[in-house]
Amino acid sequence: MFDVVVVGSGFAGSVLAERLSNVLRKRVLIIEKRPHIGGNSYDYYNEEGLLVHKYGPHVFRTNSKEVFEYLSKFTEWIPYQHKVLANINGTKVPVPFNLNSLYKLFPAETARSLELKLVKHFGYGTRIPILKLKKVADELGDKDLKSLANFVYEKVYLNYTLKQWEESPEELIGVLDRVPVVLSRDNRYFNDKYQAMPKYGYTTLFYKMLLNPNIKILLNTDYKEVLEVDIDTGEVSLFGKPWKGILIYTGPIDYFFDYEFGELPYRSLEFKFETYNVEYFLDAAVENYPNEYDFTRITEFKRLTFQKHPKTTVAYEYPRKYIPSKNEPYYPIPRKENLRRYQLYNERARLLNNKSKTRFIFIGRLAEYKYYTMSDVIQRALDEFKKLMGANKI
Ligand code: FAD
Ligand code: UDP
């Protein structure tokens, strides 16, 4: 019946399902344990009629023309440049911390002298990871730069990171580099070439991707309810009958292998949605609160979607420990030992593929245990499709 089974309907699973069914006419079954498609990018209209993102704010950006053009087959776009304000000492300043933030927090003369030093050492327009800025300021032995770097580290990054991850920033490989200090007046959160929001939302985009009679979707189903994989021999049965084909797996890799090497840890979140009877509630789409409250940030969805409505819905994000079967595994925790554990699973997946008549593809944020953006995942899926087209197992 099915040539391909896809576990999970986020971008990783949906892009491959779309490509395999539309280009290669494969018959695809998607198994999704949630009651909806779209993975973490899912959005919906709440009871007030406001479009909200169920799993936190999703802003699309990419430097890949291929990814942008691919998605453009399924959506029109609203041009959008994401801006974030962080509450520092009672003042709302742009993050990434930039020269405007500097002038908002320091007297003009101090700010001017710091700007000159920063530009002299790093160059105007540079984007510097905060841990690098701290290190270089230390090495230079310039006490003004040192105290600025420490100020930004402590006020913008340290408490936010402790709240979000319950880990010290130095332990988290690459995480702080996502939001570098910016030596310019550019208040945008991202500097990617393409930045836009899907005009009718993400879920509509997913519907368009998956609208094909060769794609069947089984919602509300953990794949283990209908698909049995012998992880030693690679034999597979689907609905109780032997099956072979292409199995694209986008769920957590440790769950697939029955936690053989132990659990891969994640951070979870709790979103508290509030609707207010005002047109706008925040001064930006996202406001970060590094040093106050138990939540890290508030998102006002209307500022992302440009919806006109007399009311507004916002979401407060509370970081949580991940407890399997209780909440959702949102963020892989990129500590050294976790990445090592993931490598054991990755190797296990390779061995499984060597033995099996079924081709197993582990792809996406959960299956590769990587802090991917939507664009990263779509690019990975498009590349994987190209590999499949060239492979003889297809
Ligand atoms: P997912 O979207 O997680 O999809 C995996 C799917 O597999 C899920 O639907 C899940 O239910 C299903 N599944 C899992 N296990 C099973 C099982 N056992 N059986 C059946 N189905 C299963 N990226 C951006 O580019 N911009 C942003 O602004 C952005 N903001 C984010 C904010 C938050 C709070 C989070 C958590 C992520 C954000 N991301 C953002 C990242 C983005 O969500 C991911 O890159 C993207 O969703 C990854 O797609 P995926 O298909 O790998 O995984
Ligand atoms: N971060 C921070 N302060 C901020 C914004 C970000 O310390 O004001 C750090 C924090 O560790 C966070 C990481 O940078 O988890 C990545 O931020 P990003 O906004 O990319 O997080 P995401 O949108 O993926 O949750």
mmCIF file of all heavy atoms in Angstrom, residues 7-13 31-34 38-41 55-59 61 221-223 249-252 255 269 271 297 317 330-331 364-366 372-375 377, ligand 1:
data_model
loop_
_atom_site.group_PDB
_atom_site.id
_atom_site.type_symbol
_atom_site.label_atom_id
_atom_site.label_comp_id
_atom_site.label_asym_id
_atom_site.label_seq_id
_atom_site.Cartn_x
_atom_site.Cartn_y
_atom_site.Cartn_z
ATOM 1 N N VAL A 7 7.124 9.533 10.061
ATOM 2 C CA VAL A 7 6.689 9.734 11.441
ATOM 3 C C VAL A 7 6.911 11.197 11.806
ATOM 4 O O VAL A 7 8.047 11.663 11.849
ATOM 5 C CB VAL A 7 7.460 8.809 12.415
ATOM 6 C CG1 VAL A 7 7.060 9.103 13.860
ATOM 7 C CG2 VAL A 7 7.210 7.358 12.072
ATOM 8 N N GLY A 8 5.823 11.916 12.021
ATOM 9 C CA GLY A 8 5.915 13.333 12.396
ATOM 10 C C GLY A 8 5.605 14.240 11.210
ATOM 11 O O GLY A 8 6.109 14.032 10.099
ATOM 12 N N SER A 9 4.756 15.253 11.446
ATOM 13 C CA SER A 9 4.325 16.129 10.337
ATOM 14 C C SER A 9 4.821 17.562 10.497
ATOM 15 O O SER A 9 4.174 18.501 10.064
ATOM 16 C CB SER A 9 2.799 16.124 10.245
ATOM 17 O OG SER A 9 2.272 16.666 11.452
ATOM 18 N N GLY A 10 5.990 17.742 11.148
ATOM 19 C CA GLY A 10 6.638 19.059 11.162
ATOM 20 C C GLY A 10 7.282 19.304 9.800
ATOM 21 O O GLY A 10 7.022 18.569 8.826
ATOM 22 N N PHE A 11 8.150 20.309 9.717
ATOM 23 C CA PHE A 11 8.756 20.618 8.421
ATOM 24 C C PHE A 11 9.601 19.454 7.890
ATOM 25 O O PHE A 11 9.572 19.164 6.693
ATOM 26 C CB PHE A 11 9.585 21.903 8.495
ATOM 27 C CG PHE A 11 8.769 23.124 8.173
ATOM 28 C CD1 PHE A 11 8.547 24.105 9.127
ATOM 29 C CD2 PHE A 11 8.197 23.293 6.912
ATOM 30 C CE1 PHE A 11 7.785 25.232 8.831
ATOM 31 C CE2 PHE A 11 7.428 24.415 6.607
ATOM 32 C CZ PHE A 11 7.225 25.385 7.571
ATOM 33 N N ALA A 12 10.336 18.766 8.766
ATOM 34 C CA ALA A 12 11.192 17.679 8.270
ATOM 35 C C ALA A 12 10.340 16.631 7.567
ATOM 36 O O ALA A 12 10.604 16.264 6.410
ATOM 37 C CB ALA A 12 11.969 17.058 9.436
ATOM 38 N N GLY A 13 9.300 16.159 8.242
ATOM 39 C CA GLY A 13 8.459 15.105 7.684
ATOM 40 C C GLY A 13 7.625 15.600 6.511
ATOM 41 O O GLY A 13 7.490 14.904 5.488
ATOM 42 N N ILE A 31 2.348 9.489 9.998
ATOM 43 C CA ILE A 31 1.789 9.157 11.320
ATOM 44 C C ILE A 31 2.184 10.272 12.286
ATOM 45 O O ILE A 31 3.380 10.582 12.439
ATOM 46 C CB ILE A 31 2.334 7.803 11.833
ATOM 47 C CG1 ILE A 31 2.128 6.705 10.788
ATOM 48 C CG2 ILE A 31 1.663 7.427 13.156
ATOM 49 C CD1 ILE A 31 2.857 5.411 11.108
ATOM 50 N N GLU A 32 1.204 10.874 12.903
ATOM 51 C CA GLU A 32 1.465 12.053 13.752
ATOM 52 C C GLU A 32 0.743 11.860 15.087
ATOM 53 O O GLU A 32 -0.445 11.599 15.114
ATOM 54 C CB GLU A 32 0.955 13.319 13.030
ATOM 55 C CG GLU A 32 0.897 14.575 13.877
ATOM 56 C CD GLU A 32 2.218 14.947 14.526
ATOM 57 O OE1 GLU A 32 3.185 15.207 13.805
ATOM 58 O OE2 GLU A 32 2.282 14.966 15.783
ATOM 59 N N LYS A 33 1.492 12.004 16.162
ATOM 60 C CA LYS A 33 0.840 11.710 17.439
ATOM 61 C C LYS A 33 -0.032 12.865 17.963
ATOM 62 O O LYS A 33 -0.941 12.646 18.747
ATOM 63 C CB LYS A 33 1.861 11.264 18.478
ATOM 64 C CG LYS A 33 2.652 12.339 19.114
ATOM 65 C CD LYS A 33 3.529 11.746 20.199
ATOM 66 C CE LYS A 33 4.276 12.897 20.824
ATOM 67 N NZ LYS A 33 5.289 12.536 21.733
ATOM 68 N N ARG A 34 0.211 14.066 17.475
ATOM 69 C CA ARG A 34 -0.630 15.189 17.905
ATOM 70 C C ARG A 34 -1.946 15.202 17.099
ATOM 71 O O ARG A 34 -2.034 14.561 16.055
ATOM 72 C CB ARG A 34 0.113 16.507 17.685
ATOM 73 C CG ARG A 34 1.281 16.691 18.647
ATOM 74 C CD ARG A 34 2.045 17.949 18.290
ATOM 75 N NE ARG A 34 3.126 18.216 19.220
ATOM 76 C CZ ARG A 34 4.110 19.082 18.993
ATOM 77 N NH1 ARG A 34 4.163 19.768 17.855
ATOM 78 N NH2 ARG A 34 5.050 19.284 19.893
ATOM 79 N N GLY A 38 1.901 19.960 11.197
ATOM 80 C CA GLY A 38 2.685 21.195 11.296
ATOM 81 C C GLY A 38 3.766 21.203 12.366
ATOM 82 O O GLY A 38 4.549 22.150 12.436
ATOM 83 N N GLY A 39 3.800 20.167 13.212
ATOM 84 C CA GLY A 39 4.827 20.124 14.262
ATOM 85 C C GLY A 39 4.780 21.369 15.127
ATOM 86 O O GLY A 39 3.702 21.919 15.388
ATOM 87 N N ASN A 40 5.938 21.841 15.502
ATOM 88 C CA ASN A 40 5.993 23.013 16.390
ATOM 89 C C ASN A 40 5.669 24.316 15.672
ATOM 90 O O ASN A 40 5.545 25.359 16.309
ATOM 91 C CB ASN A 40 7.387 23.124 17.026
ATOM 92 C CG ASN A 40 7.574 22.078 18.101
ATOM 93 O OD1 ASN A 40 6.596 21.468 18.557
ATOM 94 N ND2 ASN A 40 8.811 21.843 18.500
ATOM 95 N N SER A 41 5.545 24.267 14.354
ATOM 96 C CA SER A 41 5.225 25.495 13.620
ATOM 97 C C SER A 41 3.711 25.720 13.516
ATOM 98 O O SER A 41 3.277 26.721 12.944
ATOM 99 C CB SER A 41 5.819 25.424 12.208
ATOM 100 O OG SER A 41 7.175 25.059 12.280
ATOM 101 N N TYR A 55 3.005 26.642 19.773
ATOM 102 C CA TYR A 55 4.266 26.221 20.398
ATOM 103 C C TYR A 55 5.303 27.345 20.399
ATOM 104 O O TYR A 55 6.488 27.111 20.197
ATOM 105 C CB TYR A 55 4.806 24.970 19.684
ATOM 106 C CG TYR A 55 3.799 23.853 19.662
ATOM 107 C CD1 TYR A 55 3.010 23.599 18.535
ATOM 108 C CD2 TYR A 55 3.579 23.063 20.796
ATOM 109 C CE1 TYR A 55 2.061 22.584 18.524
ATOM 110 C CE2 TYR A 55 2.628 22.051 20.798
ATOM 111 C CZ TYR A 55 1.868 21.819 19.654
ATOM 112 O OH TYR A 55 0.924 20.817 19.655
ATOM 113 N N GLY A 56 4.852 28.565 20.602
ATOM 114 C CA GLY A 56 5.793 29.681 20.706
ATOM 115 C C GLY A 56 5.995 30.398 19.383
ATOM 116 O O GLY A 56 5.697 29.849 18.315
ATOM 117 N N PRO A 57 6.522 31.636 19.452
ATOM 118 C CA PRO A 57 6.627 32.483 18.257
ATOM 119 C C PRO A 57 7.533 31.862 17.200
ATOM 120 O O PRO A 57 8.678 31.509 17.491
ATOM 121 C CB PRO A 57 7.272 33.768 18.797
ATOM 122 C CG PRO A 57 7.953 33.356 20.058
ATOM 123 C CD PRO A 57 7.125 32.251 20.634
ATOM 124 N N HIS A 58 7.021 31.737 15.982
ATOM 125 C CA HIS A 58 7.821 31.202 14.877
ATOM 126 C C HIS A 58 7.975 32.253 13.791
ATOM 127 O O HIS A 58 7.018 32.606 13.118
ATOM 128 C CB HIS A 58 7.179 29.931 14.329
ATOM 129 C CG HIS A 58 7.559 28.727 15.126
ATOM 130 N ND1 HIS A 58 7.140 28.527 16.428
ATOM 131 C CD2 HIS A 58 8.378 27.688 14.831
ATOM 132 C CE1 HIS A 58 7.666 27.398 16.879
ATOM 133 N NE2 HIS A 58 8.423 26.873 15.935
ATOM 134 N N VAL A 59 9.197 32.743 13.653
ATOM 135 C CA VAL A 59 9.497 33.780 12.667
ATOM 136 C C VAL A 59 10.344 33.135 11.581
ATOM 137 O O VAL A 59 11.408 32.572 11.865
ATOM 138 C CB VAL A 59 10.275 34.936 13.333
ATOM 139 C CG1 VAL A 59 10.668 35.975 12.288
ATOM 140 C CG2 VAL A 59 9.439 35.560 14.437
ATOM 141 N N ARG A 61 12.909 32.880 8.670
ATOM 142 C CA ARG A 61 14.030 33.600 8.034
ATOM 143 C C ARG A 61 14.981 32.561 7.450
ATOM 144 O O ARG A 61 15.096 31.441 7.966
ATOM 145 C CB ARG A 61 14.736 34.500 9.041
ATOM 146 C CG ARG A 61 15.765 33.859 9.928
ATOM 147 C CD ARG A 61 15.201 33.356 11.213
ATOM 148 N NE ARG A 61 16.278 32.884 12.094
ATOM 149 C CZ ARG A 61 16.105 32.324 13.246
ATOM 150 N NH1 ARG A 61 14.898 32.124 13.713
ATOM 151 N NH2 ARG A 61 17.124 31.921 13.965
ATOM 152 N N THR A 221 -1.863 9.548 16.733
ATOM 153 C CA THR A 221 -1.316 8.188 16.787
ATOM 154 C C THR A 221 0.197 8.198 17.005
ATOM 155 O O THR A 221 0.938 8.737 16.175
ATOM 156 C CB THR A 221 -1.610 7.428 15.456
ATOM 157 O OG1 THR A 221 -3.004 7.563 15.175
ATOM 158 C CG2 THR A 221 -1.242 5.970 15.543
ATOM 159 N N ASP A 222 0.616 7.603 18.110
ATOM 160 C CA ASP A 222 2.051 7.377 18.286
ATOM 161 C C ASP A 222 2.426 6.260 17.318
ATOM 162 O O ASP A 222 1.722 5.241 17.244
ATOM 163 C CB ASP A 222 2.332 6.965 19.736
ATOM 164 C CG ASP A 222 3.818 6.844 19.993
ATOM 165 O OD1 ASP A 222 4.509 6.118 19.235
ATOM 166 O OD2 ASP A 222 4.311 7.489 20.929
ATOM 167 N N TYR A 223 3.516 6.436 16.600
ATOM 168 C CA TYR A 223 3.815 5.470 15.525
ATOM 169 C C TYR A 223 3.930 4.043 16.056
ATOM 170 O O TYR A 223 3.651 3.075 15.352
ATOM 171 C CB TYR A 223 5.084 5.894 14.764
ATOM 172 C CG TYR A 223 6.385 5.503 15.416
ATOM 173 C CD1 TYR A 223 7.069 4.362 15.031
ATOM 174 C CD2 TYR A 223 6.924 6.274 16.449
ATOM 175 C CE1 TYR A 223 8.261 3.994 15.642
ATOM 176 C CE2 TYR A 223 8.100 5.923 17.052
ATOM 177 C CZ TYR A 223 8.773 4.780 16.662
ATOM 178 O OH TYR A 223 9.939 4.423 17.269
ATOM 179 N N TYR A 249 11.870 9.166 9.916
ATOM 180 C CA TYR A 249 11.543 9.303 11.338
ATOM 181 C C TYR A 249 11.975 10.677 11.844
ATOM 182 O O TYR A 249 13.168 11.018 11.769
ATOM 183 C CB TYR A 249 12.238 8.186 12.134
ATOM 184 C CG TYR A 249 11.897 8.252 13.601
ATOM 185 C CD1 TYR A 249 10.661 7.806 14.067
ATOM 186 C CD2 TYR A 249 12.797 8.793 14.524
ATOM 187 C CE1 TYR A 249 10.322 7.890 15.407
ATOM 188 C CE2 TYR A 249 12.468 8.883 15.867
ATOM 189 C CZ TYR A 249 11.229 8.430 16.303
ATOM 190 O OH TYR A 249 10.895 8.524 17.633
ATOM 191 N N THR A 250 11.005 11.461 12.351
ATOM 192 C CA THR A 250 11.349 12.810 12.837
ATOM 193 C C THR A 250 11.036 12.979 14.324
ATOM 194 O O THR A 250 11.038 14.089 14.840
ATOM 195 C CB THR A 250 10.614 13.920 12.028
ATOM 196 O OG1 THR A 250 9.229 13.951 12.427
ATOM 197 C CG2 THR A 250 10.679 13.686 10.532
ATOM 198 N N GLY A 251 10.769 11.851 15.012
ATOM 199 C CA GLY A 251 10.547 11.923 16.468
ATOM 200 C C GLY A 251 11.871 11.830 17.217
ATOM 201 O O GLY A 251 12.945 11.789 16.594
ATOM 202 N N PRO A 252 11.829 11.763 18.533
ATOM 203 C CA PRO A 252 13.077 11.664 19.311
ATOM 204 C C PRO A 252 13.799 10.346 19.037
ATOM 205 O O PRO A 252 13.194 9.278 19.107
ATOM 206 C CB PRO A 252 12.598 11.704 20.766
ATOM 207 C CG PRO A 252 11.199 12.220 20.727
ATOM 208 C CD PRO A 252 10.642 11.842 19.395
ATOM 209 N N TYR A 255 13.845 7.584 21.837
ATOM 210 C CA TYR A 255 12.575 6.842 21.951
ATOM 211 C C TYR A 255 12.526 5.730 20.904
ATOM 212 O O TYR A 255 12.095 4.609 21.183
ATOM 213 C CB TYR A 255 11.418 7.826 21.755
ATOM 214 C CG TYR A 255 10.042 7.218 21.776
ATOM 215 C CD1 TYR A 255 9.510 6.671 22.942
ATOM 216 C CD2 TYR A 255 9.253 7.192 20.621
ATOM 217 C CE1 TYR A 255 8.232 6.112 22.956
ATOM 218 C CE2 TYR A 255 7.984 6.640 20.623
ATOM 219 C CZ TYR A 255 7.483 6.099 21.792
ATOM 220 O OH TYR A 255 6.218 5.554 21.804
ATOM 221 N N LEU A 269 8.866 23.935 27.722
ATOM 222 C CA LEU A 269 8.305 25.265 28.002
ATOM 223 C C LEU A 269 6.835 25.102 28.339
ATOM 224 O O LEU A 269 6.188 24.152 27.898
ATOM 225 C CB LEU A 269 8.373 26.156 26.757
ATOM 226 C CG LEU A 269 9.724 26.591 26.221
ATOM 227 C CD1 LEU A 269 9.552 27.246 24.853
ATOM 228 C CD2 LEU A 269 10.394 27.582 27.176
ATOM 229 N N PHE A 271 3.454 27.523 27.848
ATOM 230 C CA PHE A 271 2.975 28.799 27.293
ATOM 231 C C PHE A 271 1.687 29.182 27.999
ATOM 232 O O PHE A 271 0.750 28.378 28.041
ATOM 233 C CB PHE A 271 2.710 28.663 25.786
ATOM 234 C CG PHE A 271 3.945 28.284 25.009
ATOM 235 C CD1 PHE A 271 4.162 26.970 24.635
ATOM 236 C CD2 PHE A 271 4.891 29.244 24.687
ATOM 237 C CE1 PHE A 271 5.304 26.611 23.943
ATOM 238 C CE2 PHE A 271 6.032 28.899 23.990
ATOM 239 C CZ PHE A 271 6.245 27.583 23.619
ATOM 240 N N ARG A 297 10.039 35.466 28.168
ATOM 241 C CA ARG A 297 9.635 36.456 27.167
ATOM 242 C C ARG A 297 8.115 36.429 26.977
ATOM 243 O O ARG A 297 7.453 35.446 27.326
ATOM 244 C CB ARG A 297 10.356 36.226 25.840
ATOM 245 C CG ARG A 297 10.090 34.895 25.193
ATOM 246 C CD ARG A 297 10.954 34.692 23.935
ATOM 247 N NE ARG A 297 10.745 33.363 23.384
ATOM 248 C CZ ARG A 297 11.445 32.825 22.409
ATOM 249 N NH1 ARG A 297 12.432 33.487 21.856
ATOM 250 N NH2 ARG A 297 11.193 31.612 21.964
ATOM 251 N N GLU A 317 6.221 32.820 28.210
ATOM 252 C CA GLU A 317 6.968 31.556 28.106
ATOM 253 C C GLU A 317 7.686 31.214 29.402
ATOM 254 O O GLU A 317 8.600 31.935 29.816
ATOM 255 C CB GLU A 317 8.023 31.669 27.001
ATOM 256 C CG GLU A 317 7.496 31.230 25.669
ATOM 257 C CD GLU A 317 8.489 31.426 24.542
ATOM 258 O OE1 GLU A 317 9.583 30.845 24.580
ATOM 259 O OE2 GLU A 317 8.146 32.187 23.608
ATOM 260 N N TYR A 330 11.185 20.409 23.672
ATOM 261 C CA TYR A 330 11.383 21.503 22.713
ATOM 262 C C TYR A 330 12.841 21.704 22.287
ATOM 263 O O TYR A 330 13.147 21.789 21.116
ATOM 264 C CB TYR A 330 10.839 22.820 23.281
ATOM 265 C CG TYR A 330 9.335 22.868 23.304
ATOM 266 C CD1 TYR A 330 8.638 23.102 24.481
ATOM 267 C CD2 TYR A 330 8.607 22.662 22.141
ATOM 268 C CE1 TYR A 330 7.257 23.148 24.505
ATOM 269 C CE2 TYR A 330 7.225 22.701 22.152
ATOM 270 C CZ TYR A 330 6.559 22.944 23.333
ATOM 271 O OH TYR A 330 5.202 22.971 23.344
ATOM 272 N N TYR A 331 13.710 21.858 23.282
ATOM 273 C CA TYR A 331 15.100 22.214 22.938
ATOM 274 C C TYR A 331 16.059 21.086 23.318
ATOM 275 O O TYR A 331 16.163 20.745 24.498
ATOM 276 C CB TYR A 331 15.549 23.455 23.723
ATOM 277 C CG TYR A 331 14.785 24.708 23.419
ATOM 278 C CD1 TYR A 331 13.704 25.096 24.205
ATOM 279 C CD2 TYR A 331 15.166 25.540 22.374
ATOM 280 C CE1 TYR A 331 13.013 26.264 23.947
ATOM 281 C CE2 TYR A 331 14.483 26.714 22.106
ATOM 282 C CZ TYR A 331 13.401 27.071 22.892
ATOM 283 O OH TYR A 331 12.734 28.240 22.634
ATOM 284 N N GLY A 364 15.598 15.922 11.419
ATOM 285 C CA GLY A 364 14.837 16.946 12.153
ATOM 286 C C GLY A 364 15.396 17.198 13.536
ATOM 287 O O GLY A 364 16.375 16.578 13.966
ATOM 288 N N ARG A 365 14.749 18.144 14.216
ATOM 289 C CA ARG A 365 15.242 18.619 15.493
ATOM 290 C C ARG A 365 15.335 17.513 16.553
ATOM 291 O O ARG A 365 16.274 17.441 17.335
ATOM 292 C CB ARG A 365 14.310 19.728 16.002
ATOM 293 C CG ARG A 365 14.948 20.612 17.057
ATOM 294 C CD ARG A 365 13.980 21.708 17.509
ATOM 295 N NE ARG A 365 14.491 23.001 17.116
ATOM 296 C CZ ARG A 365 14.442 24.100 17.871
ATOM 297 N NH1 ARG A 365 13.879 24.080 19.048
ATOM 298 N NH2 ARG A 365 14.942 25.225 17.451
ATOM 299 N N LEU A 366 14.359 16.602 16.549
ATOM 300 C CA LEU A 366 14.318 15.554 17.576
ATOM 301 C C LEU A 366 15.135 14.336 17.161
ATOM 302 O O LEU A 366 15.796 13.719 17.988
ATOM 303 C CB LEU A 366 12.864 15.129 17.815
ATOM 304 C CG LEU A 366 11.916 16.237 18.278
ATOM 305 C CD1 LEU A 366 10.463 15.792 18.154
ATOM 306 C CD2 LEU A 366 12.226 16.636 19.714
ATOM 307 N N TYR A 372 17.848 23.179 15.441
ATOM 308 C CA TYR A 372 17.629 23.651 14.075
ATOM 309 C C TYR A 372 16.594 24.776 14.018
ATOM 310 O O TYR A 372 15.627 24.763 14.771
ATOM 311 C CB TYR A 372 17.038 22.525 13.235
ATOM 312 C CG TYR A 372 17.999 21.508 12.673
ATOM 313 C CD1 TYR A 372 17.621 20.172 12.599
ATOM 314 C CD2 TYR A 372 19.229 21.870 12.166
ATOM 315 C CE1 TYR A 372 18.459 19.213 12.036
ATOM 316 C CE2 TYR A 372 20.068 20.917 11.610
ATOM 317 C CZ TYR A 372 19.678 19.595 11.553
ATOM 318 O OH TYR A 372 20.511 18.672 10.990
ATOM 319 N N THR A 373 16.745 25.694 13.057
ATOM 320 C CA THR A 373 15.642 26.606 12.715
ATOM 321 C C THR A 373 14.763 25.902 11.671
ATOM 322 O O THR A 373 15.158 24.858 11.126
ATOM 323 C CB THR A 373 16.171 27.902 12.067
ATOM 324 O OG1 THR A 373 16.811 27.542 10.841
ATOM 325 C CG2 THR A 373 17.139 28.637 12.970
ATOM 326 N N MET A 374 13.621 26.513 11.371
ATOM 327 C CA MET A 374 12.765 25.931 10.327
ATOM 328 C C MET A 374 13.540 25.830 9.016
ATOM 329 O O MET A 374 13.474 24.817 8.322
ATOM 330 C CB MET A 374 11.502 26.792 10.144
ATOM 331 C CG MET A 374 10.582 26.755 11.337
ATOM 332 S SD MET A 374 9.060 27.695 11.079
ATOM 333 C CE MET A 374 9.609 29.375 11.361
ATOM 334 N N SER A 375 14.259 26.887 8.688
ATOM 335 C CA SER A 375 15.012 26.886 7.433
ATOM 336 C C SER A 375 16.046 25.755 7.402
ATOM 337 O O SER A 375 16.186 25.061 6.385
ATOM 338 C CB SER A 375 15.712 28.241 7.261
ATOM 339 O OG SER A 375 16.644 28.161 6.226
ATOM 340 N N VAL A 377 15.911 22.920 8.853
ATOM 341 C CA VAL A 377 15.233 21.633 8.704
ATOM 342 C C VAL A 377 14.735 21.452 7.269
ATOM 343 O O VAL A 377 14.857 20.366 6.689
ATOM 344 C CB VAL A 377 14.054 21.543 9.714
ATOM 345 C CG1 VAL A 377 13.112 20.412 9.356
ATOM 346 C CG2 VAL A 377 14.590 21.356 11.122
HETATM 347 P P1 FAD B 1 8.820 19.266 14.835
HETATM 348 O O1 FAD B 1 8.207 20.491 14.285
HETATM 349 O O2 FAD B 1 8.978 19.140 16.313
HETATM 350 O O3 FAD B 1 7.944 18.022 14.308
HETATM 351 C C1 FAD B 1 8.105 16.707 14.814
HETATM 352 C C2 FAD B 1 6.747 16.048 14.800
HETATM 353 O O4 FAD B 1 6.897 14.660 15.137
HETATM 354 C C3 FAD B 1 5.785 16.636 15.827
HETATM 355 O O5 FAD B 1 4.590 17.023 15.202
HETATM 356 C C4 FAD B 1 5.570 15.488 16.812
HETATM 357 O O6 FAD B 1 4.271 15.480 17.385
HETATM 358 C C5 FAD B 1 5.811 14.268 15.935
HETATM 359 N N1 FAD B 1 6.190 13.085 16.710
HETATM 360 C C6 FAD B 1 7.151 13.010 17.652
HETATM 361 N N2 FAD B 1 7.187 11.770 18.174
HETATM 362 C C7 FAD B 1 6.241 11.055 17.534
HETATM 363 C C8 FAD B 1 5.782 9.708 17.647
HETATM 364 N N3 FAD B 1 6.306 8.867 18.558
HETATM 365 N N4 FAD B 1 4.789 9.271 16.839
HETATM 366 C C9 FAD B 1 4.206 10.144 15.940
HETATM 367 N N5 FAD B 1 4.591 11.435 15.804
HETATM 368 C C10 FAD B 1 5.597 11.879 16.593
HETATM 369 N N6 FAD B 1 12.461 28.138 14.102
HETATM 370 C C11 FAD B 1 12.545 29.219 13.283
HETATM 371 O O7 FAD B 1 13.020 29.090 12.150
HETATM 372 N N7 FAD B 1 12.102 30.452 13.701
HETATM 373 C C12 FAD B 1 11.570 30.651 14.929
HETATM 374 O O8 FAD B 1 11.175 31.782 15.285
HETATM 375 C C13 FAD B 1 11.467 29.520 15.812
HETATM 376 N N8 FAD B 1 10.953 29.676 17.048
HETATM 377 C C14 FAD B 1 10.846 28.595 17.861
HETATM 378 C C15 FAD B 1 10.301 28.774 19.118
HETATM 379 C C16 FAD B 1 10.159 27.700 19.974
HETATM 380 C C17 FAD B 1 9.553 27.914 21.329
HETATM 381 C C18 FAD B 1 10.594 26.409 19.559
HETATM 382 C C19 FAD B 1 10.459 25.230 20.479
HETATM 383 C C20 FAD B 1 11.153 26.223 18.304
HETATM 384 C C21 FAD B 1 11.294 27.305 17.444
HETATM 385 N N9 FAD B 1 11.824 27.165 16.167
HETATM 386 C C22 FAD B 1 11.932 28.260 15.340
HETATM 387 C C23 FAD B 1 12.320 25.865 15.671
HETATM 388 C C24 FAD B 1 11.289 25.092 14.852
HETATM 389 O O9 FAD B 1 10.159 24.824 15.659
HETATM 390 C C25 FAD B 1 11.931 23.786 14.396
HETATM 391 O O10 FAD B 1 13.097 24.026 13.670
HETATM 392 C C26 FAD B 1 11.014 22.947 13.529
HETATM 393 O O11 FAD B 1 9.741 22.819 14.101
HETATM 394 C C27 FAD B 1 11.616 21.585 13.390
HETATM 395 O O12 FAD B 1 10.821 20.785 12.562
HETATM 396 P P2 FAD B 1 10.864 19.223 12.770
HETATM 397 O O13 FAD B 1 9.995 18.643 11.719
HETATM 398 O O14 FAD B 1 12.253 18.741 12.894
HETATM 399 O O15 FAD B 1 10.232 18.975 14.237
#
